[in-house]
Amino acid sequence: MMNFYFNIKKNILFFLFGIISFSFYGCDDFNPLDFNVFSVSDDKELGKQIDVQITSNQQEYPILNQPSATTYVQNIVNQIINSPEIEYKGVFDYRVKIIRKDNVVNAFATPGGYIYVYTGLLKFVDNEATLAGILAHEVAHAERRHSTKRMTKAYGVQFLLDLLLGENPDQFAEIAANLFTGLAFLKNSRDDEYEADEYSFKYLQSSIWYPGAMKYFFQKVGDNSGNSFLEGLLSTHPLNEDRIAQYEILISNAKLAPPNENNLFSNRYIQFKNTLP
């Protein structure tokens, strides 16, 4: 734990040095808030800490104890991270856990590649390619390091400077409490969602699955958007017509042929869903 905090302070030092350097040389294109004060190692350590919280809270996050189901979903992720677009294969864990809640249609990823999928989502999806698109989307959140980038922006330069200089020791306790309490920081911005959609599509282009199958998920969510069981999904993964339009553009630009059973795997997925409790 102390190494984690030491790394944060070290990265803050490099961050502030970068701001000073770019300001001195007058680089107008530099945006310090795009910087991530957390290292890749910090992402991995933070993911481990959150995983401990999740697995120890069985009331809120009851983990499904069905190895065959977990293996099925994990195998999809294992194939996704074989994409040449993946940067942190072998660095991040990319480990799947299924949360047994049929009334929650959602999935999320923590820093470091820990991926959690609700049974409600598995039962909501209609084919394997769509699930692969969703899982690739969560992989993209980890790969693009969205959570720690948002935390860097949220605290701001003055907060990080005070933390580094030790002028307000209570702030160090504050950042620790905010990092390790709850999952509120996992809420995605619209820009994060657009980028994760784009990279999900890229990852699947070298896979066995139809890369455009996320479109079917968006359409089904839109058709059921008034239902309460989608509230959690829509609070962490904002959905609007622009996202659907963006996917249509990706499909068009890639000149994809219409999907078929050989790249949607609907029948195989139905068989899998029938094994779920």
Side-chain angles (χ1 to χ4, degrees):
M1 185 70 71
M2 290 303 298
N3 287 338
F4 176 60
Y5 294 142
F6 174 78
N7 286 339
I8 292 176
K9 283 196 170 186
K10 179 182 67 176
N11 293 334
I12 291 170
L13 180 61
F14 285 124
F15 173 46
L16 295 174
F17 177 77
I19 293 174
I20 294 169
S21 299
F22 277 93
S23 299
F24 180 79
Y25 289 107
C27 181
D28 294 333
D29 294 332
F30 177 68
N31 180 0
L33 292 183
D34 284 338
F35 188 87
N36 191 341
V37 73
F38 299 90
S39 70
V40 171
S41 296
D42 292 335
D43 276 42
K44 189 170 180 178
E45 180 62 27
L46 181 56
K48 287 181 180 178
Q49 296 293 330
I50 296 172
D51 184 62
V52 170
Q53 288 191 5
I54 289 174
T55 54
S56 63
N57 187 355
Q58 285 294 300
Q59 183 173 355
E60 188 171 354
Y61 304 104
I63 303 300
L64 177 67
N65 184 19
Q66 185 178 338
S68 61
T70 304
T71 298
Y72 180 91
V73 181
Q74 182 69 60
N75 284 341
I76 295 175
V77 171
N78 292 346
Q79 292 181 66
I80 290 168
I81 62 175
N82 282 330
S83 165
E85 299 284 344
I86 294 290
E87 184 175 357
Y88 297 115
K89 180 183 178 181
V91 178
F92 290 166
D93 286 313
Y94 291 118
R95 187 181 310 164
V96 170
K97 290 183 180 176
I98 299 173
I99 301 172
R100 188 174 181 176
K101 279 192 175 181
D102 288 353
N103 62 335
V104 179
V105 178
N106 208 350
F108 63 90
T110 68
Y114 292 81
I115 299 173
Y116 306 87
V117 185
Y118 287 87
T119 52
L121 174 70
L122 296 176
K123 295 180 179 182
F124 183 79
V125 168
D126 294 322
N127 58 70
E128 190 175 284
T130 298
L131 177 61
I134 295 168
L135 294 171
H137 175 99
E138 298 305 330
V139 167
H141 280 311
E143 283 282 309
R144 305 307 297 166
R145 305 182 61 211
H146 286 153
S147 294
T148 48
K149 284 180 181 178
R150 285 200 306 278
M151 285 190 283
T152 297
K153 293 177 183 179
Y155 287 115
V157 174
Q158 188 58 52
F159 182 97
L160 298 174
L161 180 61
D162 290 347
L163 180 64
L164 176 67
L165 298 178
E167 294 184 359
N168 188 346
D170 291 340
Q171 286 186 332
F172 198 71
E174 180 182 337
I175 192 172
N178 288 341
L179 286 177
F180 295 105
T181 302
L183 299 174
F185 67 87
L186 294 175
K187 185 174 182 178
N188 300 294
S189 71
R190 185 170 296 182
D191 287 343
D192 289 346
E193 289 300 287
Y194 287 153
E195 187 172 44
D197 288 345
E198 178 185 354
Y199 275 82
S200 170
F201 190 90
K202 288 180 179 179
Y203 299 155
L204 293 195
Q205 282 186 291
S206 58
S207 77
I208 62 173
W209 298 288
Y210 177 65
M214 276 276 281
K215 176 181 70 172
Y216 304 126
F217 178 69
F218 293 151
Q219 291 170 342
K220 190 169 184 178
V221 169
D223 292 341
N224 293 273
S225 59
N227 293 321
S228 59
F229 65 86
L230 290 174
E231 289 177 0
L233 171 71
L234 295 175
S235 68
T236 57
H237 296 76
L239 178 68
N240 55 54
E241 292 299 324
D242 290 340
R243 285 185 69 192
I244 298 175
Q246 181 194 24
Y247 238 82
E248 294 285 7
I249 292 171
L250 291 171
I251 292 170
S252 175
N253 289 344
K255 297 180 172 58
L256 296 183
N260 55 57
E261 179 59 26
N262 291 331
N263 55 20
L264 288 177
F265 302 101
S266 302
N267 294 330
R268 184 163 76 185
Y269 191 70
I270 290 171
Q271 294 176 4
F272 163 69
K273 285 207 295 185
N274 289 336
T275 69
L276 296 173

